[in-house]
Amino acid sequence: MAAGKLLYAQSGGVSAVINATAAGVIETARDKGIVVYAARNGILGALREELIDTTKEAKANIAALRHTPGGAFGSCRYKLKSLEENRAEYERLIEVFKAHDIRTFLYNGGNDSADTANKVSKIGQALGYEVSCIGVPKTIDNDLVVTDTCPGFGSVAKYTAIAVREASLDVASMMDTSTKVFIIEVMGRHAGWIAAAAGLAGSAAGDPPHVILFPENVFDPETFLAKVKATVEKVGYCTVVVSEGVKDQEGKFLAESGARDAFGHAQLGGAAPVLAALVREKLGYKYHWALPDYLQRSARHVASKTDLEQAYAVGKKAVEYAAEGLNAVMPVIVRTSDEPYKWKIEAAPLDKIANHEKKMPKNFISKDGFGITAAARRYLAPLIQGEAPPPYGADGLPMYVTLKNAPVPRKLKKFAIG
Ligand code: F6P
């Protein structure tokens, strides 16, 4: 790595363990004598010259990032256009990098962020300033290609499987005289990984969840209602898991709220009440529905230890790759064995990752379309292994850290974004 500082930024939807990646980055850089700045609110902080000096943070507070959910430096959804479309933004990035002697940029995010990292990795050469850019994986959606899994997913998977197991015990207790159908909606936008993880809640035939609706399948109301009815008649109740990304025959999200983000993605959340209304209207069963929404991706108290270790490891490796002089790569997780689960980290080119989306393979979804297969279990089960609870205080609540986030003094004029 050329001498100089390292800039780290968090991007996209945050997770229960993205801060563990930040800890991996900062602790490893400190060991190597590299100064780390963080951008406030992702790439926006880099463009606005809103930088944070992490050297001002105590060692214990950086260590506490390992058990603190959310994004400690702020995150954003912001799409960088191409160099041809908006050269000014790239020139501004270089201007900020030069002003603060930043020679490495680590961008920690999912699919869209890998695209941003890939674009930034090419500007050094195009604009004549040596800077290396490394994408660091993170997304609860688990939809990055190449990597075995994405940090953040294992924890949301564990939360979801636990929530489904616990809530189903509740429903089963009163099914005779009260609720017969419980519907829980999980995140995942276009890929059904989180919904699939709910399947880990059950291990024997008849165990909940009884119905999983994947975005990989088109929603068919008739077969859905028939399956719910048959399950209630056989088991006494029915737990349904629906992915927010499920679409109807016209290709419209069941959950679409009408709002769109900076990438043009529809804001989702609301498939569960749509299904609940259908169940009431067509089958007349009493129901409850739940939308854990941000609860699922911030649930650090039930994080997967495996996920936490992977989140830390990708941050550490990203700094090591930068120190070795790599550019335009991402540290990805490579599975070397299912049982016992073994993994290692390798560098993969960002070109191969950006703008691709990993959906659930066909052989992970059962023939009737409503469950997961043994192959899916083999893939998913190791990812939720282990517990790593946060420390709890005298008030009975987890002790999370809030960083000082000391600003780096500005050197440049303001920049208008957009
Ligand atoms: O990108 C991860 C994710 O949590 C998706 O699963 C979800 O659809 C989306 O973010 C929500 O985004 P936002 O918090 O910007 O509304």
Side-chain angles (χ1 to χ4, degrees), residues 13 77 139-141 187-189 244 261 267-268 294 297:
R77 292 199 190 279
T139 170
I140 64 157
D141 293 355
M187 284 181 160
R189 221 191 283 270
E244 63 175 3
D261 70 14
Q267 171 156 8
L268 304 180
Y294 282 0
R297 73 178 198 199

Side-chain angles (χ1 to χ4, degrees), residues 7 138 275 288 388 397:
L7 181 66
K138 170 253 34 167
L275 294 179
H288 272 248
L397 295 169

Side-chain angles (χ1 to χ4, degrees), residues 50 80 153 166 194 229 236 298 322 357:
E50 290 177 355
L80 273 190
F153 171 67
E166 291 180 343
I194 304 175
K229 187 165 185 287
S298 61
E357 206 170 32

